[in-house]
Amino acid sequence: MFEIFLSLMIGLTIFAWYEMVKKREIAIEASKRIANNFNLQLLDDSVSCSSFKIIKTSSWPMIKRVYNFKVSSTKQDSIDCHLTLLGGELVNWYIPPYPKLN
């Protein structure tokens, strides 16, 4: 009985880790697209999950994840931004006002 429980826990841990990595990759790609759309440079390794919670939707409970990332409009600045994933889908993003390049 203990072996079955242990196997189940190990399997759930591997599945949770895989899902976390997969959603982070989605967030990295979304932040790259957002930065490119505004002619900004995504700063390397700046995408990180700041919060996640289970929310109730009309069909199933889903995990809402908020990722922070940094972009730059010049070589000297760093702009804090964020995006929200619901499940694996981008539902919201925010980039504050920033200085434009000439």
Side-chain angles (χ1 to χ4, degrees):
M1 184 67 172
F2 177 73
E3 291 83 14
I4 294 171
F5 175 75
L6 185 60
S7 297
L8 183 63
M9 294 307 295
I10 290 171
L12 287 174
T13 302
I14 291 170
F15 175 75
W17 172 79
Y18 175 75
E19 282 295 306
M20 217 169 55
V21 169
K22 189 166 73 169
K23 299 306 187 255
R24 184 171 185 272
E25 290 300 319
I26 292 170
I28 290 170
E29 288 303 315
S31 60
K32 284 179 184 177
R33 264 194 325 272
I34 293 167
N36 285 337
N37 287 344
F38 288 93
N39 296 322
L40 298 170
Q41 179 182 3
L42 178 66
L43 299 179
D44 292 337
D45 295 325
S46 66
V47 180
S48 64
C49 185
S50 61
S51 71
F52 68 93
K53 61 183 169 181
I54 298 173
I55 63 167
K56 184 178 176 184
T57 63
S58 61
S59 57
W60 294 95
M62 297 181 86
I63 298 178
K64 176 182 173 183
R65 295 174 174 89
V66 177
Y67 288 88
N68 292 333
F69 62 98
K70 294 183 184 236
V71 296
S72 177
S73 63
T74 66
K75 301 282 187 210
Q76 289 80 27
D77 68 343
S78 173
I79 303 165
D80 293 322
C81 309
H82 68 265
L83 61 86
T84 304
L85 295 179
L86 186 57
E89 195 172 318
L90 179 66
V91 293
N92 189 19
W93 54 268
Y94 175 73
I95 296 178
Y98 58 91
K100 304 267 188 202
L101 292 175
N102 292 333

